[in-house]
Amino acid sequence: MNVRAHMSMLFHLDKCIGCHTCSIACKNLWTDRKGAEYMWWNNVETRPGTGYPVRWEDQKRFRGGWEFKDGKLRLRLHSRVTGLLKLFYNPSLPSLDDYYEPFTFRYQDLFNAPASDEQPTAVPISMVTGEPMEVQTGPNWDDDLGGSPVYARNDPNLEGLSAEVRRQLGELERLVFNYLPRICNHCLNPACVAACPSGAIYKRAEDGVVLVNENKCRAWRMCVAACPYKKVYYNWSTGKSEKCILCFPRLETGQAPACAHSCVGRIRYMGVLLYDADRIPGAAMVPDDQLVESQREAILDPFDPAVIAAAKANGIDEGWIKAAQDSPAYKFVKLWKLALPLHPEFRTMAMMFYIPPLSPVISVIEGELYKLDLSSDQRDFELFQRLDAARLPIRYLANLFTAGNERIIREVLTKLIAVRVYMRRKSVDGSLDDATAELLKQAGMTPELAEDIYKLTTQPTQAERFVIPPYHREMAVEALMDPLAHKGEAGLGYIQPPKRGE
Amino acid sequence: MKKWINEIYSPATRKWEEFYRNRFQHDKRVRTTHGVNCTGSCSWEVFVKDGIVTWELQATDYPQLEEGLPPYEPRGCQRGISFSWYLYSPIRVKYPYARGRLIDLWREARAHNADPVAAWESIVSDALLRKSYQFARGKGGFRRITWDEAEEIIAASVVYTIKKYGPDRVAGFSPIPAMSQISYASGSRFLSLLGGIVLSFYDWYSDLPPASPEVWGEQTDVHESADWYNARFIAVMGSNLNMTRTPDVHFVSEVRHAGAKLTVFSPDFSQVAKYADYWIPVHAGQDGAFWMAVNHVLLKEFYVDRQVPYFQDYLKRYTDMPFLVRVEGERPGKYLRANRLARYRDVENGDWKLLVWDQKSGSARMPKGTIGFRWAQKEPGKWNLEMRDGVNDEELDPELSFASAYDDVRMAACDDFAGGQTLWRPVPVRYVETEEGRVPVATVFDLAMAQFGVPRGLPGEIAVGYDDDVPYTPAWQEKFTGIHRDTLLRFAREWGANGEKTRGKNLVIIGAGANHWYHNNLIYRAAISALMLTGSVGVNGGGLAHYVGQEKLANQASWSAIAFASDWGVASRQQNTPSFHYVHSDQWRYERGFSVYDRLPAPYGANGKEHTIDYEIRAVRRGWLPFYPQFNRSSLEVVREALAQGAKSDTEIIQYVVSQLREKKLDFSVNDPDAPENWPRVWLIWRGNAIGTSAKGHEYFLKHYLGTHTNVIAPELAEGFAKEVAYHPQAPTGKLDLVVDLNFRMDTSALYSDIVLPAATWYEKDDLNTTDLHSFINPMQAAVPPAWESRSDWDIYKAIARKVSELARTHLPEPIKDVVMLPLQHDTPDELAQPEARDWAAGEVEAIPGKTMPKFRVVERNYAELYERMVSLGPGVEQHGVFAHGLAIPVKEEYQALAARQPRAYKGKIYPSLAEAREVAEAILALDPVSNGEVAARAFELEEHKTGLKLADLGEGQRDLRYSFSQIVAQPRRVLTAPTWSGIVNRGRAYSPFTLNVERLVPWRTLTGRQHFYLDHEGYLQWGEALPTYKPRPDHTMLDETQRSLALAQGKMLNFITPHGKWSIHSTYSENNRMMTLSRGGYPVWLNDKDAAELGIHDNDWVEVYNDNGVFVQRAIVSARIPSGTVFVYHATERTVGIPISPLRGTRAGMNNSLTRARLKPVLMSGGYAQFTYAFNYWGPTGVNRDTFVFVRKVEKPNY
């Protein structure tokens, strides 16, 4: 057992508002500068939809992630020709069209326009060229566009859905959308790291954060192509690649990443997961439908004395073990099995996790009238006894989160429903009936477990959502210099020391 | 692990990480918030680095409410977090600007006139010069000017206007004070001291739900969002919580996991629909029909088939359902008045005390709590909801229904407005011996049963089943809503069952999607009925949660004294803006009036040729609504005349005014709004987009107010319909002499103003901020000083006031008397003014000020000292206290303490200083019951005196609490329980409205003191709205806004819907680069996929949306999410950014309000009667805008 600690984020999609506050928190902090305008280290996608960059999940086009073939794991990017041959020409790289051309407006014309016969207006201009342009696309172009014949219908995750269900998704009966916030997955088996010819990308050993060393990056952009989530970006101004840094300067000071901090839907959780590095990449080398479970296996029980001993032997601080025990990530991912990785079939072993959403009951059109598709012997919350009557198809969610394994999606949704039914009986009827007891049993739950899930789902304070371990920066600093000396020098132009004659 | 998974521990090889650590370092973090017109009131931390605001993140230290409720943190949305972009952006107004043409004229005039007032006169009295700068409005040519010059022009125009026309030709508009209370107060205090017009906003925005004053006598009082978590069945209707309550919506997602059911009503699959168990796409604007049928089912299954004790008890105690109504005629009439009975003949205010049928004594009896008790002089202390006789205190047991024991059954006429028929339905009655003889009476409950068509086996009844297409069955509603009866029944039954099991934890969250329709009050009343029938109002987790723009100003008692300068004894000219704009911007001229689209039922509506403006005129002269300018002569001049005629006292001045009016020697301005002497002349705009997104009928504003270009092509139609108004064949254009805008961004209003003043942003000033969505008081603080030449609103108005005072020393040097015309006022004894609606001008009744006509107050203006008064808290507060909800709360000690702490000497006396915004904040906090426990305790003592109830305990535990500005800076502080509101929040309990009424028996401020199903004002009887009912939506043939467009351009006609958007808060943020980037770089037009296909429009095509009111050009989004037959443009676009030329009209296309027009609903003008008595932003017609039709067509290529 080779125990490592990892900082992981959870997204409770049932709670996501789709507000994009997270995206702007990130942009304000990290990518509001020349060359980074088009970057959204954190973005939110409407699903069904095509995402940013457009259809990023289509690996036939983008060739990101790993391929598991003949018992071997290989970068999809390099599977045909060797990486080296692609250094100067890489057709898998997304172009600006796949992202968007960042734009602004000539606002100052409103002040400066001379008197004329016509009201002035601020015309759109490119942030790259400064020239007038027509805005044709953006980083969130299909926002809220469930039911769009252009976007929703081209979601790669609709694969495997019947023609009839696809049709319904474009009609009142079943029209639906949800949101998918995305950051870098800080994978256990990151394709970007593997693809970098310069060795500029690394995983921080203490918390698993994947970083592009801006000093070492040589702009090969293999990482951009290899990342199946398209979460590494090329800064056209500095000539370096950049990506989500999980706000490590905030983590190191005990604060949640800005995207998580700013999450108004309170959907994000952050905590430590312990995992067994020896199981990697073996855990990624199983058939598709076993990927979620093999990854769960690789994540360890922080209360297990053997795990604790091995962790300590690997130099993991006690505070981190305590944080792992208090971690909401551990509870949702490992203990309750409610949180799932995004596209496990990419086999990068993504370490950010999603709790899939519930959705409204489908309907039928009778005559010209809208009617909820409920059976006549229905009791309340009937919807959830019949998962197939939810607007978001199971198959669709399975394509997103379980590499097609529908059983796991059903297990998760059944648990979420059981919590709701249990809480309703308790708070409205005052007692549990047999049907609810049976439902809990089916979901593999006890009333106590339902209470625990309920509380962490609805009640958590910031401190309960974000359990940030002690980073002991003094120890990291000490490896370089005396922390007392650092105390007196921190921030004094280390990156840009003063020069004579300026 | 493979070698290529590059894992690094070594800090030495990771030194470069400092690149990002350095970016994160900052110099300062400051708690502040955003003063935008939204209900967020979020606590933020702004990060300052190198003296520059770099980013913001939410503060997360809200105190927690009671155990079991999720915490509030974090609050703040995508809009708020993008604010820092504005500070240094190219759309920031950094310096004062003026239109070049005007500034040239001014400098020229000033060169010839040493006196600025004379200079102004020389420009505006020359018709050609005036026209020349008016026509330049909105068309570029801005010039940077100095503050000195700007202040001088503004002050000169103000002084000139006062002298020439009177002070009530200077108007000011600023919306929703709650989120930057001091900034709002800056201008309103200035205008109130001046005698200018303060324009309302809540009603104009159509955010005021008239149903709330109708049913509850309350402007609006709603749940803080944490209380949603106490609900167990939530119906969201016309409210897209994700978009508009972004920081609150988590309570909805969370309460589902606590076991609540959620049904979302919206014609589109809206964002909040994603959370729903049931999404019910009721056709746009037809929610009322759905709820009418829900009520039918509730009455049938929970009141006839069986009785639920909780519901029965609730209706008897807290609603007007047991009260007796006279039913002599075909239609039910007025409530039977207590003084008609021998037993109660001589009771005080006997016209205003009502009766129930007491089961014990078998007679009509007079319970306490009705409005006559509220304003009792002789015997106070009986205004409460104890069901006891108001004379002998005997306990009463009111009967809800006479169905099982009646003297007679009478057939009552029920109006089926959609079917165009009268239905005759049986009502059981009993006879009461009155001084007028034997009078048949029915309970409101029995009238409601007839109205809803619920069969009870009464003689003469036509049995109605759920499947019969008769009002208001589940089958009946199908044709309006498009919802199958089976779905309606399921909903109604679950609604009833949940109400029964949880004792009223049924919650309706409702908003603009319902409230912006013409018949919004009926939609609301239908839903409120379903809440009252399930005992849900006044219960934590139950009731009506209406959220559109109201943003509760928690400390309204102290704030309003400052904001409207009552500390200096002036009466503020508070104008309901819907009437103001409907009349002054001449929109009334373009329609045939209400009788085309809001017909009266048969006995009243025979004459279909009545015009809204005539009702407006009658409402003004009866004292129902305000109107300014008030007279066709200066109000200062009128007083001068009175004095010259020998008037010795204020009373004699008023007598003079009344006789002049009676003799028609003096006229109300509203009678002839197009005469130049009646125009508003100077318009000050701050904190809002008055010419843009707040301008329903924007293109009419451009034409008639501004006198510049316009895209209106509508014909004028009022002639022949309007009778009372003076009709000028030629409508005036360019009524306004000067338009000034205070702004931090160049929005549509700024672009069209004559002078633009650079205002400090929300990160550059101090202020106070509250909301109804949570119960904390938040500070706004300067993180950096006002950038460039900007100033806070408080400082800008101080500067203008100082300049006005300076010019006044020459032009208006002495104190001068002004007579202010005021409508009858809510929460005063004026509520008892008019037991019957009579018109003095028609000779139906004597003209008695304050009784049958407006009130008049004589006040003294002192223009030379206006500035000093503005910055000193006057003695009125010390002497009379602060006012709210009819309570005058003494604050003498607090006033004196303030004067000692922040003294300002003025003419040998020490006043509390208001010179600095922070001093104003301290005054507001110190003098209000919600932030000063001692004041709250005092207020409860007063309320005890009025009600005779024990209430003081509510103030006890909080008595020592006093909030100061530094305390709210340290952490948001929770408001205290106070009788100036209706919720009880002690010990962390979530605020739920009317819990004070339900639990402590404090009456609602209505006629019966209870919640009203029945409204017996003559207007409501005439319009057939006495009981909840359904009226169909006006169709396009009635609205006079599509005919010419149809003839000229053809195309597909669609209903134009403007819901609140995701990427802006009204227009603010909409052009912010962050929001533009995350949306579509514009203001897209959302179309249904099938409609679009029919029009040959694809996603992202440019389209033109137009009608006779104007035109709008943007790109299309196509989705099945949008209901067929409608076009959505998310509300509040600007015409400043990326707007092409309209191919159809050949000029720059406009904005969303280019397509709208104001239409007033006359029944909402009712006044002088209990809860139908005017208050600012509280009562009156609203600026509805959903009933608009447009054409859509494709545009090949945008041309800028």
Side-chain angles (χ1 to χ4, degrees), chain B residues 28 188 216 422 457 478 514 624 629 887 943 980 1055:
Chain B
K28 185 175 159 187
S188 64
W216 296 306
T422 304
E478 287 179 343
W624 294 1
L887 301 171
E943 191 80 330
T980 51
N1055 182 202

Side-chain angles (χ1 to χ4, degrees), chain B residues 8 36 173 336 356 381 385 391 433 459 554 658 695 751 848 882 1132 1150:
Chain B
I8 303 181
V36 71
F173 178 81
L336 181 61
V356 298
L385 295 182
V391 173
E433 288 302 333
V658 172
L751 196 70
I848 306 167
V882 295

Side-chain angles (χ1 to χ4, degrees), chain A residues 1 10 16 50 108 140 156 161 184 193 234 366 392 421 424 495:
Chain A
M1 194 169 7
L10 304 179
C16 185
T50 48
Q108 57 275 23
N140 185 34
L161 264 62
C184 166
V193 176
Y234 177 68
E366 213 175 273
L392 272 171
V421 175
R424 180 157 187 91
I495 295 292

Side-chain angles (χ1 to χ4, degrees), chain A residues 160-181:
Chain A
L161 264 62
S162 70
E164 175 58 12
V165 171
R166 285 180 187 230
R167 186 197 63 80
Q168 287 173 351
L169 282 166
E171 302 284 347
L172 280 194
E173 293 108 288
R174 192 158 198 162
L175 195 125
V176 70
F177 57 81
N178 211 296
Y179 302 104
L180 184 70

Side-chain angles (χ1 to χ4, degrees), chain A residues 374-389:
Chain A
L374 301 171
S375 63
S376 50
D377 58 346
Q378 166 246 354
R379 54 181 284 165
D380 60 1
F381 290 111
E382 185 272 346
L383 157 62
F384 305 102
Q385 327 278 327
R386 201 154 57 92
L387 283 175
D388 297 302

Side-chain angles (χ1 to χ4, degrees), chain B residues 24-45:
Chain B
F24 182 63
Q25 286 169 7
H26 43 271
D27 302 324
K28 185 175 159 187
R29 37 211 298 188
V30 178
R31 185 195 299 277
T32 187
T33 185
H34 304 111
V36 71
N37 184 2
C38 87
T39 49
S41 184
C42 306
S43 192
W44 284 86
E45 283 189 312

Side-chain angles (χ1 to χ4, degrees), chain A residues 216-232:
Chain A
K216 285 179 77 175
C217 175
R218 293 289 173 269
W220 296 118
R221 284 176 270 177
M222 284 299 160
C223 50
V224 177
C227 173
Y229 302 98
K230 290 291 162 282
K231 280 293 173 187
V232 194

Side-chain angles (χ1 to χ4, degrees), chain B residues 85 121 276 317 433 672 689 882 1055 1162:
Chain B
W85 179 85
E121 179 174 18
R317 221 185 265 270
E433 288 302 333
D672 187 5
N689 201 342
V882 295
N1055 182 202

